[in-house]
């Protein structure tokens, strides 16, 4: 996906405040490194050298632990949140070689010491997303009981933020607006984007050198096991959202004996034939449906926004704005691509629907201030360029992508006939993978033997565009007898755990506090549509 969205989510994870925290429980000893059921033989997905390297790195991390202290100002995390680092090898086949430090944040469990259940690690997705803000969620009512039971642990995966940051181009030149986003691009425009994709792929290799090949979902899973050990945890408690569900599933496959509780929220389709080229095509098709949902909603509220009484009229209003921005960008910053990115965000969460509608309506009336404020501020962002670099490296390294431009051209032209909103913008973001020079891996085969895992919980919204619902059904099938799925019906917000749906939260909280899953797959009524404001 485009850099404004990726496979990541903040979804319902909106921060509104802090709560008091108490002192930390005593650290576990290094003898807690391995569970009694930890695998002793290398997984078929690991080489023997990599399997040994993970064990060695985890042993060292358990012995050293993490020294937590005040967070650096760059993290923007106030006390009592604490920060620290842990070390992982760049290449697990050579654990005595080059190491990098990954950053970690912690908020202590707030409840009675006797009721505490250890550390709960969170990843928000990406690839390229940072979970460092996770401890702040303890301040939200929906997370209160979980925050009483668990230390909330956030971290920045390899390459992200201050965790040995990866970069492919000068951030000042990345996604610099205003720019165009034609739904049916010309041959000349395509040639321009091919040249940009080639240059971007070269930039990644030039800046990262031989380390580039080691940004993978497999290594993200291995790093997670080292973090588990560094925290002194015998078994892992983990919430993965969006892309976090994919490398979380890789983790569960590689280290089933190290799993205590895992939540997979908004599930990436883990089928090897989907990783990653076909997943992106499926995603583009699904965003067309969410784009339709927004237009239909805006039309029902024509009396508020005056964008049209039918979804076709609302679409015409959007195209009118895009054409006007193509001729004269708003504030010198917002062109058609920035407008499209704003509405792509609305496809991720319906909490963004009203403000996007207000901005479009105001712009068409001659007031561009709201549109510039919402869509004009991402150009030249170090964080955006860093996130996109990690996203690109991981997805390009994880699997073989088509190298023949004619395949990309044929597939995306065909899809854009019925799903024009996001198809080509998505394709151009991923196009560096066609010209990638680092070695590619075979897609990982996620899956476990029947009941080989402790029970795990899957959450999914039926109309989620970023991770279409079929992905949750696929992961449910692959975790044979070990998983249960909670479905939010007729809803499309990406990231539903800890949000406004009390039914979803009931299952989510009960599982993390007790380990209990629904007896069978459960459904929850969708949340009400947003109000027009």
């Amino acid at each position: 996906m485009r850099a404004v969205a990726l496979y990541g989510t903040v979804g319902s994870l909106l921060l509104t405040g802090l709560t008091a925290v108490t002192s930390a429980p005593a650290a576990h000893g290094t003898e807690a490194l391995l569970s009694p059921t930890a695998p002793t033989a290398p997984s078929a997905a690991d080489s023997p050298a990599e399997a040994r390297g993970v064990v060695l790195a985890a042993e060292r991390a358990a012995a050293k632990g993490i020294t937590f202290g005040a967070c650096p100002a760059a993290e923007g995390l106030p006390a009592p949140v604490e920060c620290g680092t842990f070390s992982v090898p760049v290449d697990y086949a050579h654990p005595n070689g080059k190491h990098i430090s990954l950053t970690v944040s912690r908020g202590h469990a707030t409840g009675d010491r006797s009721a505490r259940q250890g550390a709960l690690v969170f990843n928000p997705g990406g690839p390229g997303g940072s979970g460092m803000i996770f401890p702040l969620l303890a301040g939200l009512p929906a997370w209160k009981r979980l925050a009483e039971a668990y230390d909330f642990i956030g971290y920045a995966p390899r390459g992200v933020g201050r965790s040995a940051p990866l970069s492919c181009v000068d951030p000042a030149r990345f996604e610099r607006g205003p720019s165009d986003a034609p739904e049916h691009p010309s041959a000349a425009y395509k040639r321009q984007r091919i040249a940009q994709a080639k240059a971007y792929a070269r930039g990644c290799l030039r800046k990262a050198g031989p380390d580039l090949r080691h940004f993978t979902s497999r290594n993200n899973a291995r790093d997670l096991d080292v973090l588990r050990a560094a925290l002194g945890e015998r078994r892992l408690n983990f919430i993965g959202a969006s892309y976090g569900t994919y490398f979380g599933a890789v983790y569960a496959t590689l280290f089933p004996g190290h799993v205590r509780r895992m939540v997979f929220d908004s599930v990436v389709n883990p089928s090897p034939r989907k990783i990653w080229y076909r997943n992106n095509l499926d995603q583009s098709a699904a965003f067309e449906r969410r784009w339709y949902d927004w237009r239909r909603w805006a039309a029902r509220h024509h009396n508020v926004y005056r964008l049209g009484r039918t979804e076709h009229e609302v679409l015409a209003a959007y195209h009118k704005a895009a054409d006007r921005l193509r001729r004269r960008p708003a504030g010198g910053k917002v062109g058609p691509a920035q407008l499209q990115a704003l509405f792509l965000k609305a496809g991720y969460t319906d909490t963004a629907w009203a403000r996007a509608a207000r901005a479009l309506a105001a712009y068409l009336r001659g007031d561009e201030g709201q549109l510039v404020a919402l869509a004009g501020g991402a150009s030249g962002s170090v964080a955006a360029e860093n996130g996109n670099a990690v996203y690109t490296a991981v997805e390009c390294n994880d699997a073989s992508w088509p190298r023949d431009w004619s395949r990309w051209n044929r597939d995306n032209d065909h899809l854009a006939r019925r799903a024009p909103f996001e198809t080509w913008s998505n394709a151009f973001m991923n196009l560096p993978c066609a010209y990638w020079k680092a070695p590619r891996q075979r897609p990982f085969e996620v899956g476990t033997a029947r009941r080989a895992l402790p029970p795990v919980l899957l959450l999914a919204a039926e109309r989620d565009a970023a991770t279409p619902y079929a992905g949750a059904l696929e992961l449910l099938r692959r975790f044979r007898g070990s998983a249960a799925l909670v479905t939010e019906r007729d809803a499309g917000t990406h990231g539903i755990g800890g949000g406004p749906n009390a039914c979803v939260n009931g299952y989510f909280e009960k599982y993390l506090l007790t380990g209990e899953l629904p007896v069978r797959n459960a459904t929850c009524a969708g949340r009400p549509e947003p109000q027009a404001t």
Side-chain angles (χ1 to χ4, degrees):
M1 282 304 310
R2 300 191 56 181
V4 297
L6 312 181
Y7 279 95
T9 178
V10 290
S12 58
L13 311 181
L14 305 176
L15 306 178
T16 58
L18 291 167
T19 56
V21 297
T22 60
S23 60
H28 300 300
T30 59
E31 68 277 3
L33 169 65
L34 297 179
S35 75
T37 56
T40 56
S43 163
D46 268 351
S47 72
E50 288 169 324
R52 288 192 298 269
V54 177
V55 171
L56 181 60
E59 288 175 345
R60 291 169 173 170
K64 184 176 182 180
I66 299 174
T67 300
F68 284 100
C71 293
E75 295 293 352
L77 295 172
V81 179
E82 301 172 316
C83 291
T85 63
F86 68 104
S87 177
V88 299
V90 171
D91 180 359
Y92 278 95
H94 298 91
N96 295 319
K98 181 179 178 181
H99 274 233
I100 55 177
S101 292
L102 308 188
T103 60
V104 188
S105 59
R106 180 177 68 181
H108 291 308
T110 60
D112 184 83
R113 187 180 299 270
S114 64
R116 295 182 186 178
Q117 300 194 40
L120 178 62
V121 180
F122 174 74
N123 179 272
S130 171
M132 289 292 287
I133 67 168
F134 179 55
L136 299 184
L137 295 185
L140 297 178
W143 294 82
K144 180 177 183 293
R145 291 189 66 202
L146 295 176
E148 289 172 348
Y150 289 100
D151 289 349
F152 276 18
I153 304 295
Y155 76 109
R158 62 169 63 198
V160 177
R162 296 187 301 113
S163 294
L166 180 66
S167 175
C168 291
V169 297
D170 179 358
R173 296 190 295 109
F174 177 72
E175 291 284 296
R176 185 170 55 193
S179 52
D180 203 359
E183 293 179 343
H184 303 284
S186 66
Y189 185 85
K190 291 174 181 177
R191 288 194 295 272
Q192 176 187 346
R193 295 305 299 262
I194 290 170
Q196 291 174 356
K198 290 178 177 178
Y200 191 87
R202 289 194 301 269
C204 294
L205 183 59
R206 182 176 64 253
K207 284 178 170 283
D211 291 352
L212 184 62
R213 66 187 297 172
H214 299 296
F215 291 91
T216 66
S217 293
R218 286 175 171 86
N219 278 342
N220 284 337
R222 295 167 183 140
D223 293 346
L224 183 58
D225 200 53
V226 177
L227 173 58
R228 173 198 61 78
L231 291 167
E233 295 293 320
R234 232 178 133 201
R235 293 188 295 162
L236 177 71
N237 302 298
F238 177 74
I239 302 172
S242 197
Y243 167 73
T245 69
Y246 178 64
F247 84 82
V250 173
Y251 181 93
T253 304
L254 287 172
F255 309 104
H258 294 180
V259 173
R260 182 175 182 263
R261 290 176 194 157
M262 298 188 83
V263 176
F264 300 83
D265 186 350
S266 305
V267 183
V268 168
N269 193 322
S271 169
R273 71 183 189 89
K274 295 287 188 178
I275 303 295
W276 284 105
Y277 180 73
R278 290 188 178 276
N279 261 338
N280 277 281
L281 291 171
D282 291 347
Q283 195 182 58
S284 294
F287 266 109
E288 194 69 26
R289 183 170 67 170
R290 281 296 279 166
W291 176 221
Y292 172 82
D293 289 347
W294 179 84
R295 300 195 317 263
R296 187 176 56 179
W297 173 85
R300 285 200 295 272
H301 298 289
H302 174 71
N303 62 321
V304 177
Y305 302 116
R306 304 293 176 183
L307 292 172
R309 297 182 183 278
T310 68
E311 63 90 11
H312 289 290
E313 290 178 351
V314 174
L315 181 61
Y318 170 83
H319 284 145
K320 179 180 179 180
D323 290 341
R324 185 186 296 177
L325 290 167
R326 192 172 287 113
R327 295 190 299 271
R328 183 181 174 277
K333 299 178 179 180
V334 179
Q338 288 69 46
L339 178 71
Q340 191 259 2
L342 174 63
F343 283 92
L344 184 66
K345 291 177 183 177
Y348 273 74
T349 172
D350 52 18
T351 60
W353 283 14
R355 63 176 175 265
R358 289 196 303 270
L360 178 60
Y363 174 73
L364 290 171
R365 293 194 304 267
D367 177 5
E368 63 183 32
Q370 292 184 55
L371 185 60
V372 173
L374 287 176
S379 298
S381 164
V382 172
E385 192 279 324
N386 169 235
N388 191 77
V390 176
Y391 167 90
T392 305
V394 171
E395 293 215 353
C396 294
N397 286 336
D398 269 0
S400 294
W401 292 67
R403 293 186 179 274
D404 184 357
W405 162 251
S406 65
R407 167 80 180 278
W408 291 72
N409 195 40
R410 180 179 67 251
D411 288 348
N412 287 281
D413 264 350
H414 177 75
L415 181 58
R417 295 188 192 108
R418 60 182 177 87
F421 173 67
E422 170 61 5
T423 293
W424 271 110
S425 292
N426 195 1
F428 289 136
M429 178 179 170
N430 289 289
L431 191 55
C433 293
Y435 308 106
W436 200 245
K437 299 303 182 184
R440 293 96 166 323
Q441 299 181 337
R442 289 187 177 183
F444 188 87
E445 189 71 55
V446 164
T448 59
R450 189 161 194 74
R451 302 193 184 281
L453 273 177
V456 298
L457 179 65
L458 281 56
L459 307 176
E462 278 187 325
R463 297 181 72 82
D464 186 349
T467 53
Y469 185 66
L473 300 178
E474 178 69 13
L475 186 58
L476 185 67
R477 183 185 69 80
R478 287 172 175 268
F479 283 164
R480 298 174 179 86
S482 297
L485 170 63
V486 174
T487 299
E488 187 179 22
R489 297 194 306 269
D490 299 321
T493 287
H494 185 61
I496 62 175
N501 191 315
C503 173
V504 171
N505 287 346
Y507 289 114
F508 176 62
E509 184 179 89
K510 186 175 185 178
Y511 167 72
L512 285 171
L513 292 178
T514 71
E516 185 177 338
L517 292 177
V519 175
R520 54 186 176 273
N521 294 346
T523 59
C524 292
R527 67 196 70 190
E529 286 193 337
Q531 295 183 347
T533 57

